[in-house]
Amino acid sequence: FQAIEAYEESIRRNPEQLDLILTIADLHEKNRKPKEALRLTKLFLEKKPNAKYRLFMAAILSRQIGDELGYEDYIKTLESDTSFRE
């Protein structure tokens, strides 16, 4: 976990490292740390607000931590995207 802490410090110093943000978010999600994964996913979405897969992941992570309002907001954002419709 020291490596993750070092990467997180790197992100704090340079929050434009989007690939690194996603890598660490995914590691947190795999390690069953949804709160940390969501925090980084939100950081990513600040830079790329239309990233559909990450919006979906944010919805799932929000629900996992009991944030139903956050879940609903992300789902509404996804549902409003007409590119999902046939």
Side-chain angles (χ1 to χ4, degrees), residues 40-69:
L40 289 166
T41 299
K42 286 179 176 181
L43 181 62
F44 176 83
L45 288 170
E46 288 175 10
K47 308 291 183 198
K48 302 269 185 171
N50 298 319
K52 294 173 193 166
Y53 178 73
R54 290 300 160 172
L55 286 166
F56 179 71
M57 285 304 300
I60 291 170
L61 293 166
S62 293
R63 180 161 267 182
Q64 286 178 354
I65 66 169
D67 180 5
E68 287 299 314
L69 291 177

mmCIF file of all heavy atoms in Angstrom, residues 40-69:
data_model
loop_
_atom_site.group_PDB
_atom_site.id
_atom_site.type_symbol
_atom_site.label_atom_id
_atom_site.label_comp_id
_atom_site.label_asym_id
_atom_site.label_seq_id
_atom_site.Cartn_x
_atom_site.Cartn_y
_atom_site.Cartn_z
ATOM 1 N N LEU A 40 -11.513 9.309 -6.174
ATOM 2 C CA LEU A 40 -10.657 9.472 -7.342
ATOM 3 C C LEU A 40 -11.466 9.505 -8.635
ATOM 4 O O LEU A 40 -11.119 10.217 -9.576
ATOM 5 C CB LEU A 40 -9.607 8.363 -7.379
ATOM 6 C CG LEU A 40 -8.534 8.518 -6.292
ATOM 7 C CD1 LEU A 40 -7.729 7.244 -6.144
ATOM 8 C CD2 LEU A 40 -7.634 9.694 -6.583
ATOM 9 N N THR A 41 -12.534 8.743 -8.678
ATOM 10 C CA THR A 41 -13.396 8.761 -9.858
ATOM 11 C C THR A 41 -14.009 10.151 -10.028
ATOM 12 O O THR A 41 -14.082 10.682 -11.140
ATOM 13 C CB THR A 41 -14.487 7.682 -9.750
ATOM 14 O OG1 THR A 41 -13.846 6.401 -9.667
ATOM 15 C CG2 THR A 41 -15.429 7.707 -10.936
ATOM 16 N N LYS A 42 -14.417 10.760 -8.929
ATOM 17 C CA LYS A 42 -14.949 12.129 -8.989
ATOM 18 C C LYS A 42 -13.881 13.111 -9.468
ATOM 19 O O LYS A 42 -14.175 14.022 -10.251
ATOM 20 C CB LYS A 42 -15.467 12.562 -7.619
ATOM 21 C CG LYS A 42 -16.772 11.917 -7.232
ATOM 22 C CD LYS A 42 -17.194 12.399 -5.847
ATOM 23 C CE LYS A 42 -18.538 11.859 -5.444
ATOM 24 N NZ LYS A 42 -18.943 12.359 -4.101
ATOM 25 N N LEU A 43 -12.659 12.917 -9.011
ATOM 26 C CA LEU A 43 -11.554 13.773 -9.452
ATOM 27 C C LEU A 43 -11.373 13.646 -10.963
ATOM 28 O O LEU A 43 -11.212 14.648 -11.670
ATOM 29 C CB LEU A 43 -10.268 13.394 -8.721
ATOM 30 C CG LEU A 43 -9.017 14.195 -9.049
ATOM 31 C CD1 LEU A 43 -9.200 15.665 -8.692
ATOM 32 C CD2 LEU A 43 -7.816 13.619 -8.312
ATOM 33 N N PHE A 44 -11.440 12.430 -11.465
ATOM 34 C CA PHE A 44 -11.345 12.205 -12.910
ATOM 35 C C PHE A 44 -12.504 12.888 -13.641
ATOM 36 O O PHE A 44 -12.308 13.530 -14.674
ATOM 37 C CB PHE A 44 -11.334 10.704 -13.209
ATOM 38 C CG PHE A 44 -11.323 10.389 -14.669
ATOM 39 C CD1 PHE A 44 -10.139 10.388 -15.379
ATOM 40 C CD2 PHE A 44 -12.497 10.108 -15.338
ATOM 41 C CE1 PHE A 44 -10.124 10.113 -16.741
ATOM 42 C CE2 PHE A 44 -12.500 9.828 -16.697
ATOM 43 C CZ PHE A 44 -11.302 9.831 -17.399
ATOM 44 N N LEU A 45 -13.713 12.731 -13.097
ATOM 45 C CA LEU A 45 -14.898 13.295 -13.753
ATOM 46 C C LEU A 45 -14.896 14.822 -13.760
ATOM 47 O O LEU A 45 -15.564 15.427 -14.595
ATOM 48 C CB LEU A 45 -16.172 12.752 -13.107
ATOM 49 C CG LEU A 45 -16.482 11.288 -13.428
ATOM 50 C CD1 LEU A 45 -17.610 10.772 -12.549
ATOM 51 C CD2 LEU A 45 -16.808 11.115 -14.908
ATOM 52 N N GLU A 46 -14.144 15.440 -12.863
ATOM 53 C CA GLU A 46 -13.990 16.897 -12.921
ATOM 54 C C GLU A 46 -13.303 17.310 -14.224
ATOM 55 O O GLU A 46 -13.591 18.364 -14.774
ATOM 56 C CB GLU A 46 -13.167 17.407 -11.736
ATOM 57 C CG GLU A 46 -13.900 17.357 -10.414
ATOM 58 C CD GLU A 46 -13.013 17.748 -9.246
ATOM 59 O OE1 GLU A 46 -11.874 18.243 -9.482
ATOM 60 O OE2 GLU A 46 -13.434 17.545 -8.098
ATOM 61 N N LYS A 47 -12.412 16.457 -14.704
ATOM 62 C CA LYS A 47 -11.663 16.746 -15.933
ATOM 63 C C LYS A 47 -12.380 16.211 -17.176
ATOM 64 O O LYS A 47 -12.265 16.775 -18.251
ATOM 65 C CB LYS A 47 -10.265 16.116 -15.867
ATOM 66 C CG LYS A 47 -9.487 16.452 -14.633
ATOM 67 C CD LYS A 47 -9.081 17.893 -14.606
ATOM 68 C CE LYS A 47 -8.223 18.141 -13.369
ATOM 69 N NZ LYS A 47 -8.117 19.512 -13.033
ATOM 70 N N LYS A 48 -13.072 15.092 -17.023
ATOM 71 C CA LYS A 48 -13.752 14.426 -18.147
ATOM 72 C C LYS A 48 -15.183 14.096 -17.731
ATOM 73 O O LYS A 48 -15.521 12.943 -17.473
ATOM 74 C CB LYS A 48 -13.019 13.134 -18.524
ATOM 75 C CG LYS A 48 -11.589 13.300 -18.910
ATOM 76 C CD LYS A 48 -11.480 13.494 -20.381
ATOM 77 C CE LYS A 48 -10.000 13.525 -20.762
ATOM 78 N NZ LYS A 48 -9.810 13.502 -22.173
ATOM 79 N N PRO A 49 -16.053 15.102 -17.657
ATOM 80 C CA PRO A 49 -17.397 14.889 -17.116
ATOM 81 C C PRO A 49 -18.321 14.009 -17.963
ATOM 82 O O PRO A 49 -19.355 13.578 -17.481
ATOM 83 C CB PRO A 49 -17.955 16.305 -16.996
ATOM 84 C CG PRO A 49 -17.168 17.109 -17.965
ATOM 85 C CD PRO A 49 -15.806 16.485 -18.016
ATOM 86 N N ASN A 50 -17.938 13.735 -19.197
ATOM 87 C CA ASN A 50 -18.792 12.925 -20.062
ATOM 88 C C ASN A 50 -18.276 11.508 -20.260
ATOM 89 O O ASN A 50 -18.728 10.816 -21.173
ATOM 90 C CB ASN A 50 -18.959 13.609 -21.417
ATOM 91 C CG ASN A 50 -19.639 14.951 -21.279
ATOM 92 O OD1 ASN A 50 -20.582 15.099 -20.513
ATOM 93 N ND2 ASN A 50 -19.148 15.937 -21.995
ATOM 94 N N ALA A 51 -17.364 11.073 -19.423
ATOM 95 C CA ALA A 51 -16.813 9.722 -19.538
ATOM 96 C C ALA A 51 -17.859 8.724 -19.025
ATOM 97 O O ALA A 51 -18.037 8.551 -17.820
ATOM 98 C CB ALA A 51 -15.512 9.612 -18.750
ATOM 99 N N LYS A 52 -18.558 8.088 -19.957
ATOM 100 C CA LYS A 52 -19.723 7.267 -19.611
ATOM 101 C C LYS A 52 -19.388 6.125 -18.660
ATOM 102 O O LYS A 52 -20.107 5.904 -17.678
ATOM 103 C CB LYS A 52 -20.366 6.721 -20.874
ATOM 104 C CG LYS A 52 -20.961 7.797 -21.734
ATOM 105 C CD LYS A 52 -21.425 7.249 -23.048
ATOM 106 C CE LYS A 52 -21.722 8.394 -23.978
ATOM 107 N NZ LYS A 52 -21.868 7.978 -25.336
ATOM 108 N N TYR A 53 -18.332 5.393 -18.949
ATOM 109 C CA TYR A 53 -18.000 4.265 -18.081
ATOM 110 C C TYR A 53 -17.704 4.748 -16.666
ATOM 111 O O TYR A 53 -18.123 4.131 -15.688
ATOM 112 C CB TYR A 53 -16.816 3.474 -18.641
ATOM 113 C CG TYR A 53 -16.422 2.334 -17.737
ATOM 114 C CD1 TYR A 53 -17.226 1.193 -17.648
ATOM 115 C CD2 TYR A 53 -15.283 2.397 -16.954
ATOM 116 C CE1 TYR A 53 -16.896 0.149 -16.803
ATOM 117 C CE2 TYR A 53 -14.943 1.356 -16.111
ATOM 118 C CZ TYR A 53 -15.746 0.236 -16.044
ATOM 119 O OH TYR A 53 -15.408 -0.790 -15.195
ATOM 120 N N ARG A 54 -17.008 5.873 -16.549
ATOM 121 C CA ARG A 54 -16.671 6.385 -15.209
ATOM 122 C C ARG A 54 -17.900 6.949 -14.514
ATOM 123 O O ARG A 54 -18.006 6.872 -13.290
ATOM 124 C CB ARG A 54 -15.551 7.419 -15.299
ATOM 125 C CG ARG A 54 -14.244 6.784 -15.662
ATOM 126 C CD ARG A 54 -13.815 5.752 -14.629
ATOM 127 N NE ARG A 54 -12.845 4.822 -15.179
ATOM 128 C CZ ARG A 54 -12.185 3.925 -14.472
ATOM 129 N NH1 ARG A 54 -12.374 3.813 -13.182
ATOM 130 N NH2 ARG A 54 -11.336 3.123 -15.060
ATOM 131 N N LEU A 55 -18.829 7.503 -15.252
ATOM 132 C CA LEU A 55 -20.098 7.924 -14.642
ATOM 133 C C LEU A 55 -20.836 6.706 -14.092
ATOM 134 O O LEU A 55 -21.387 6.739 -12.988
ATOM 135 C CB LEU A 55 -20.966 8.658 -15.669
ATOM 136 C CG LEU A 55 -20.534 10.067 -16.031
ATOM 137 C CD1 LEU A 55 -21.244 10.534 -17.285
ATOM 138 C CD2 LEU A 55 -20.792 11.021 -14.874
ATOM 139 N N PHE A 56 -20.827 5.635 -14.869
ATOM 140 C CA PHE A 56 -21.454 4.394 -14.427
ATOM 141 C C PHE A 56 -20.764 3.851 -13.171
ATOM 142 O O PHE A 56 -21.419 3.451 -12.210
ATOM 143 C CB PHE A 56 -21.411 3.363 -15.567
ATOM 144 C CG PHE A 56 -22.008 2.043 -15.201
ATOM 145 C CD1 PHE A 56 -23.372 1.901 -15.031
ATOM 146 C CD2 PHE A 56 -21.197 0.932 -15.045
ATOM 147 C CE1 PHE A 56 -23.923 0.672 -14.689
ATOM 148 C CE2 PHE A 56 -21.737 -0.295 -14.708
ATOM 149 C CZ PHE A 56 -23.103 -0.429 -14.531
ATOM 150 N N MET A 57 -19.429 3.853 -13.175
ATOM 151 C CA MET A 57 -18.687 3.388 -11.999
ATOM 152 C C MET A 57 -18.977 4.275 -10.784
ATOM 153 O O MET A 57 -19.114 3.772 -9.669
ATOM 154 C CB MET A 57 -17.179 3.365 -12.284
ATOM 155 C CG MET A 57 -16.741 2.219 -13.171
ATOM 156 S SD MET A 57 -17.210 0.580 -12.531
ATOM 157 C CE MET A 57 -16.356 0.553 -10.969
ATOM 158 N N ALA A 58 -19.084 5.572 -11.000
ATOM 159 C CA ALA A 58 -19.398 6.484 -9.897
ATOM 160 C C ALA A 58 -20.771 6.161 -9.318
ATOM 161 O O ALA A 58 -20.961 6.208 -8.099
ATOM 162 C CB ALA A 58 -19.336 7.933 -10.368
ATOM 163 N N ALA A 59 -21.719 5.805 -10.182
ATOM 164 C CA ALA A 59 -23.048 5.419 -9.704
ATOM 165 C C ALA A 59 -22.948 4.165 -8.833
ATOM 166 O O ALA A 59 -23.500 4.114 -7.730
ATOM 167 C CB ALA A 59 -23.989 5.180 -10.885
ATOM 168 N N ILE A 60 -22.238 3.164 -9.324
ATOM 169 C CA ILE A 60 -22.095 1.914 -8.567
ATOM 170 C C ILE A 60 -21.399 2.159 -7.237
ATOM 171 O O ILE A 60 -21.843 1.681 -6.189
ATOM 172 C CB ILE A 60 -21.317 0.880 -9.404
ATOM 173 C CG1 ILE A 60 -22.164 0.422 -10.589
ATOM 174 C CG2 ILE A 60 -20.893 -0.316 -8.550
ATOM 175 C CD1 ILE A 60 -21.419 -0.409 -11.588
ATOM 176 N N LEU A 61 -20.308 2.897 -7.267
ATOM 177 C CA LEU A 61 -19.556 3.171 -6.039
ATOM 178 C C LEU A 61 -20.387 3.984 -5.053
ATOM 179 O O LEU A 61 -20.329 3.744 -3.844
ATOM 180 C CB LEU A 61 -18.245 3.884 -6.374
ATOM 181 C CG LEU A 61 -17.229 3.038 -7.153
ATOM 182 C CD1 LEU A 61 -16.133 3.936 -7.728
ATOM 183 C CD2 LEU A 61 -16.642 1.947 -6.274
ATOM 184 N N SER A 62 -21.158 4.931 -5.568
ATOM 185 C CA SER A 62 -22.030 5.724 -4.690
ATOM 186 C C SER A 62 -23.018 4.829 -3.966
ATOM 187 O O SER A 62 -23.233 4.971 -2.764
ATOM 188 C CB SER A 62 -22.788 6.780 -5.503
ATOM 189 O OG SER A 62 -21.909 7.740 -6.004
ATOM 190 N N ARG A 63 -23.600 3.908 -4.701
ATOM 191 C CA ARG A 63 -24.557 2.989 -4.083
ATOM 192 C C ARG A 63 -23.856 2.095 -3.054
ATOM 193 O O ARG A 63 -24.403 1.825 -1.989
ATOM 194 C CB ARG A 63 -25.252 2.151 -5.143
ATOM 195 C CG ARG A 63 -26.250 1.186 -4.510
ATOM 196 C CD ARG A 63 -27.249 0.688 -5.464
ATOM 197 N NE ARG A 63 -28.423 1.555 -5.397
ATOM 198 C CZ ARG A 63 -29.511 1.351 -6.099
ATOM 199 N NH1 ARG A 63 -29.582 0.349 -6.931
ATOM 200 N NH2 ARG A 63 -30.540 2.160 -5.979
ATOM 201 N N GLN A 64 -22.654 1.659 -3.352
ATOM 202 C CA GLN A 64 -21.919 0.791 -2.422
ATOM 203 C C GLN A 64 -21.653 1.464 -1.085
ATOM 204 O O GLN A 64 -21.633 0.797 -0.052
ATOM 205 C CB GLN A 64 -20.593 0.336 -3.045
ATOM 206 C CG GLN A 64 -20.755 -0.710 -4.111
ATOM 207 C CD GLN A 64 -19.437 -1.112 -4.733
ATOM 208 O OE1 GLN A 64 -18.385 -0.530 -4.457
ATOM 209 N NE2 GLN A 64 -19.480 -2.111 -5.596
ATOM 210 N N ILE A 65 -21.456 2.772 -1.110
ATOM 211 C CA ILE A 65 -21.190 3.464 0.150
ATOM 212 C C ILE A 65 -22.459 4.049 0.773
ATOM 213 O O ILE A 65 -22.398 4.737 1.781
ATOM 214 C CB ILE A 65 -20.101 4.552 0.002
ATOM 215 C CG1 ILE A 65 -20.568 5.696 -0.893
ATOM 216 C CG2 ILE A 65 -18.800 3.962 -0.466
ATOM 217 C CD1 ILE A 65 -19.655 6.914 -0.880
ATOM 218 N N GLY A 66 -23.601 3.769 0.149
ATOM 219 C CA GLY A 66 -24.867 4.210 0.715
ATOM 220 C C GLY A 66 -25.293 5.606 0.316
ATOM 221 O O GLY A 66 -26.191 6.177 0.940
ATOM 222 N N ASP A 67 -24.689 6.163 -0.701
ATOM 223 C CA ASP A 67 -25.030 7.505 -1.171
ATOM 224 C C ASP A 67 -26.062 7.385 -2.294
ATOM 225 O O ASP A 67 -25.726 7.435 -3.479
ATOM 226 C CB ASP A 67 -23.776 8.225 -1.648
ATOM 227 C CG ASP A 67 -24.052 9.626 -2.164
ATOM 228 O OD1 ASP A 67 -25.212 10.098 -2.071
ATOM 229 O OD2 ASP A 67 -23.113 10.261 -2.684
ATOM 230 N N GLU A 68 -27.322 7.208 -1.915
ATOM 231 C CA GLU A 68 -28.379 7.016 -2.911
ATOM 232 C C GLU A 68 -28.609 8.260 -3.766
ATOM 233 O O GLU A 68 -28.904 8.146 -4.956
ATOM 234 C CB GLU A 68 -29.685 6.589 -2.238
ATOM 235 C CG GLU A 68 -29.659 5.170 -1.735
ATOM 236 C CD GLU A 68 -29.450 4.131 -2.831
ATOM 237 O OE1 GLU A 68 -30.120 4.222 -3.882
ATOM 238 O OE2 GLU A 68 -28.615 3.237 -2.643
ATOM 239 N N LEU A 69 -28.460 9.446 -3.190
ATOM 240 C CA LEU A 69 -28.635 10.668 -3.976
ATOM 241 C C LEU A 69 -27.552 10.787 -5.045
ATOM 242 O O LEU A 69 -27.834 11.145 -6.180
ATOM 243 C CB LEU A 69 -28.636 11.896 -3.072
ATOM 244 C CG LEU A 69 -29.845 12.052 -2.150
ATOM 245 C CD1 LEU A 69 -29.676 13.268 -1.253
ATOM 246 C CD2 LEU A 69 -31.123 12.161 -2.967
#
